[in-house]
């Protein structure tokens, strides 16, 4: 395939080409440091001639950019990010057209919802692949991905592999950043699920209104055949009102196509589900009301694909939580919960669920990421102080900030609650302290990192694993 063949596909994005006649379409790359001989370079920041020179030196045969250059053959485009998505799709022979793609959008719950959907479809005889925060899994093979939603060059390569393996459904988490940067431009979703909206990423989006509008935009873009929305969430109701296409609903407190009654949160969750006027009693290993919402989102989606509700009931109990999402460890009479919760709302939901299975004291170890939304730090401090009996504040991916400075900002909110708290900047020491003081009947919630296996400090990812540290200590203590 030649580059000019790809340009013919979307003339509104690809405007004109200079000296591209006969050039073969090479692998799309937007990081000049990763360019190899024969690649095609996409300049995401207009006017950065040094990047084009670097890409050319490393073997790029062409550059796609919004301003023409004479350094190497050039294609001018209206929007480089759209062009990257369009080119990547064409380069990999449009795998998105060979798959049924299910997207999951929302602040919290994306990973678990995608996990449940995949499990239920797989148990019903479909071949599935999953892409998200925990990486990509295609045909049983796992691949690490740096982002919740990979950039188009990686994403379409994953889609291509899934198509080659004759996958029926690919379920992908869709981040707000992916929507904003048009990573999924040109993809049509068979289903797109909305879980919820709560505070996160305001360092980038600036306001909750803008953050919410970005998430809402994909549902109103014409890219979604069937929407599945949470009617107990204000933004979910907005999507339902404003969307022109087919929309299915789920919830607990407002009218919905799929809803639950008689909910019991003991060991996991038990509930009566009404799905499109069919009723079944369901048992699940997933704990907490927040996971019930994730489950209802998955049931709504999977039921609509044609899987009988009775099959779903039979297979729900075989679903375990995904890695780093409310993983419960036990030792010496107390529980340890490892969870990814890193927003005020996420922490509140996890701590509320943990309280429901705690006989005595609830201890929480958490921190806030560096170089991210600073305003949520005191809110998270107040949230944990309000809901836990003891708050242990520590480091969590400080990046280029000093952990002590981040902790000071968390303490502003923690001090307002007026309950016991302690600051231990060294995360390993904080974890070991919490585990040492835990008694029978207590629960220790370790929040923020979930399945992450590193600590990000000064541009480096240093090996660090909450679960491994806790398991090793519990093994010795037991």
């Amino acid at each position: 395939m030649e580059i000019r063949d790809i340009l013919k596909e979307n003339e509104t994005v690809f405007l004109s080409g200079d000296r591209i006649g006969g050039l073969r379409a090479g692998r799309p790359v937007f990081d000049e440091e990763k360019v190899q001989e024969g690649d095609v370079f996409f300049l995401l920041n207009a006017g950065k001639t040094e990047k084009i020179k670097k890409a050319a030196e490393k073997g790029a045969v062409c550059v796609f950019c919004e301003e023409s250059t004479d350094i190497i053959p050039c294609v001018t485009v209206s929007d480089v990010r759209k062009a990257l998505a369009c080119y990547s799709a064409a380069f990999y022979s449009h795998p998105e057209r060979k798959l049924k793609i299910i997207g999951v959008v929302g602040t919290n719950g994306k990973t678990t919802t995608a996990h449940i959907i995949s499990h239920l479809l797989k148990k019903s005889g479909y071949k599935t692949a999953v892409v998200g925060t925990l990486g990509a899994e295609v045909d049983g093979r796992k691949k690490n991905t740096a982002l919740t939603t990979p950039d188009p060059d990686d994403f379409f390569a994953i889609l291509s592999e899934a198509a080659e393996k004759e996958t029926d459904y690919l379920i992908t988490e869709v981040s707000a950043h992916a929507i904003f940067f048009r990573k999924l431009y040109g993809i049509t979703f068979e289903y797109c699920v909305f879980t919820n909206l709560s505070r996160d990423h305001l360092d980038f989006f600036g306001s909750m209104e803008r953050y919410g509008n970005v998430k809402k935009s994909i549902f109103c873009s014409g890219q979604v055949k069937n929407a599945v929305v949470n009617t107990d969430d204000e933004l979910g109701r907005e999507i339902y009102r404003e969307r022109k296409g087919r929309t299915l609903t789920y919830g607990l407190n407002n009218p919905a196509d799929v809803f639950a009654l008689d909910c019991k949160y003991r060991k996991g969750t038990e509930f009566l589900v009404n799905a499109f006027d069919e009723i079944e009693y369901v048992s699940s290993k997933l704990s907490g009301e927040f996971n019930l919402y994730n489950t209802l989102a998955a049931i709504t989606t999977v039921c609509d694909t044609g899987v009988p509700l009775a099959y779903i009931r039979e297979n729900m109990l075989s679903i375990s939580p995904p890695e780093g999402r409310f993983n419960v460890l036990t030792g010496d009479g107390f529980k340890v919960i490892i969870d990814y919760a890193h927003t005020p709302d996420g922490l509140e939901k996890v701590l509320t669920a943990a309280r429901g299975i705690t006989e005595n004291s609830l201890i929480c170890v958490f921190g806030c990421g560096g170089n991210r939304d600073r305003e949520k730090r005191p809110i998270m401090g107040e949230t944990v102080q309000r809901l836990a009996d003891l708050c242990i504040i520590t480091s969590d991916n400080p990046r280029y900030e000093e952990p002590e400075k981040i902790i000071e900002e968390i303490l502003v909110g923690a001090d307002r609650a007026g309950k016991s708290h302690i600051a231990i900047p060294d995360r390993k020491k904080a974890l070991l302290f919490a585990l040492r003081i835990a008694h029978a009947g207590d629960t220790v919630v370790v929040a923020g990192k979930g399945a992450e296996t590193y600590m990000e400090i000064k541009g480096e990812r240093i090996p660090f694993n909450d679960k491994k540290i806790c398991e090793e200590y519990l093994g010795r203590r037991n």
Side-chain angles (χ1 to χ4, degrees), residues 2 19 37 41-42 69 81 103 115 133 138 143 179 195 219 252 272 278 307-308 312 325 356 372 381 416 463 465 472:
E2 294 185 0
R19 294 172 289 149
E37 191 71 35
F41 179 58
F42 286 76
T69 179
R81 292 190 180 276
H115 175 73
T133 309
V138 179
K143 174 186 175 183
I179 299 170
T195 61
F219 292 91
L252 294 175
L272 191 69
E278 280 191 70
V307 175
I312 291 172
R325 269 61 178 179
R372 297 294 187 267
R416 283 200 294 261
N465 189 316
E472 288 177 353

Side-chain angles (χ1 to χ4, degrees), residues 385-404:
Q385 279 290 78
R386 175 167 47 85
L387 297 171
D389 297 302
L390 175 62
C391 169
I392 301 174
I393 305 166
T394 188
S395 182
D396 182 348
N397 291 335
R399 298 183 177 90
Y400 292 95
E401 289 192 68
E402 294 302 321
E404 291 80 5

Side-chain angles (χ1 to χ4, degrees), residues 294-433:
N294 297 334
T295 302
L296 291 176
I299 289 174
T300 307
T301 307
V302 175
C303 266
D304 198 65
T305 68
V307 175
L309 185 59
Y311 278 39
I312 291 172
R313 173 186 58 76
E314 289 171 9
N315 291 304
M316 272 303 305
L317 201 54
S318 61
I319 301 176
S320 297
E323 196 68 23
R325 269 61 178 179
F326 213 87
N327 299 156
V328 182
L329 313 177
T330 56
D332 206 15
F334 66 92
K335 301 182 186 72
V336 179
I337 295 172
I338 309 291
D339 196 89
Y340 186 56
H342 60 284
T343 67
D345 182 66
L347 272 172
E348 178 154 357
K349 288 174 177 173
V350 166
L351 290 172
T352 300
R355 176 65 74 184
I357 59 172
T358 301
E359 297 173 21
N360 295 323
S361 295
L362 180 59
I363 301 164
C364 181
V365 182
F366 83 105
C368 291
N371 304 107
R372 297 294 187 267
D373 182 7
R374 293 177 60 188
E375 292 182 11
K376 76 177 182 182
R377 295 171 184 174
I379 301 171
M380 289 172 66
E382 188 278 330
T383 299
V384 176
Q385 279 290 78
R386 175 167 47 85
L387 297 171
D389 297 302
L390 175 62
C391 169
I392 301 174
I393 305 166
T394 188
S395 182
D396 182 348
N397 291 335
R399 298 183 177 90
Y400 292 95
E401 289 192 68
E402 294 302 321
E404 291 80 5
K405 192 68 177 175
I406 297 171
I407 289 171
E408 283 179 19
E409 296 183 5
I410 297 171
L411 286 169
V412 171
D415 288 339
R416 283 200 294 261
K419 288 164 68 177
S420 298
H421 58 260
I422 184 169
I424 305 176
D426 185 308
R427 191 173 179 95
K428 184 173 182 178
K429 289 181 180 179
L431 293 178
L432 295 177
F433 175 76

Side-chain angles (χ1 to χ4, degrees), residues 35-166:
V35 169
Q36 297 176 13
E37 191 71 35
D39 287 347
V40 170
F41 179 58
F42 286 76
L43 180 67
L44 299 185
N45 299 303
K48 304 288 185 180
T49 56
E50 292 305 314
K51 290 191 173 187
I52 299 175
K53 288 178 181 177
K54 181 76 171 179
E57 289 170 6
K58 293 175 79 68
V61 297
C62 178
V63 61
F64 281 62
C65 51
E66 293 173 14
E67 297 176 3
S68 183
T69 179
D70 58 4
I71 298 172
I72 55 174
C74 168
V75 176
T76 55
V77 299
S78 60
D79 183 320
V80 178
R81 292 190 180 276
K82 280 186 181 180
L84 176 59
C86 291
Y87 181 96
S88 298
F91 178 77
Y92 287 105
S93 303
H94 290 289
E96 77 283 4
R97 298 175 183 173
K98 304 165 190 171
L99 300 163
K100 290 181 179 178
I101 300 176
I102 298 175
V104 185
V105 178
T107 305
N108 298 313
K110 295 189 293 295
T111 299
T112 302
T113 301
H115 175 73
I116 301 170
I117 291 171
S118 175
H119 181 93
L120 293 175
L121 287 172
K122 196 178 293 184
K123 285 289 187 180
S124 300
Y126 293 105
K127 195 168 186 178
T128 68
V130 180
V131 181
T133 309
L134 298 180
E137 183 172 347
V138 179
D139 198 37
R141 291 177 60 247
K142 293 185 178 180
K143 174 186 175 183
N144 290 330
T145 54
L147 302 167
T148 296
T149 310
D151 289 305
D153 53 337
D154 287 333
F155 189 71
F156 282 95
I158 293 168
L159 294 187
S160 178
E161 184 182 351
E164 287 174 9
K165 299 297 182 181
E166 298 183 334

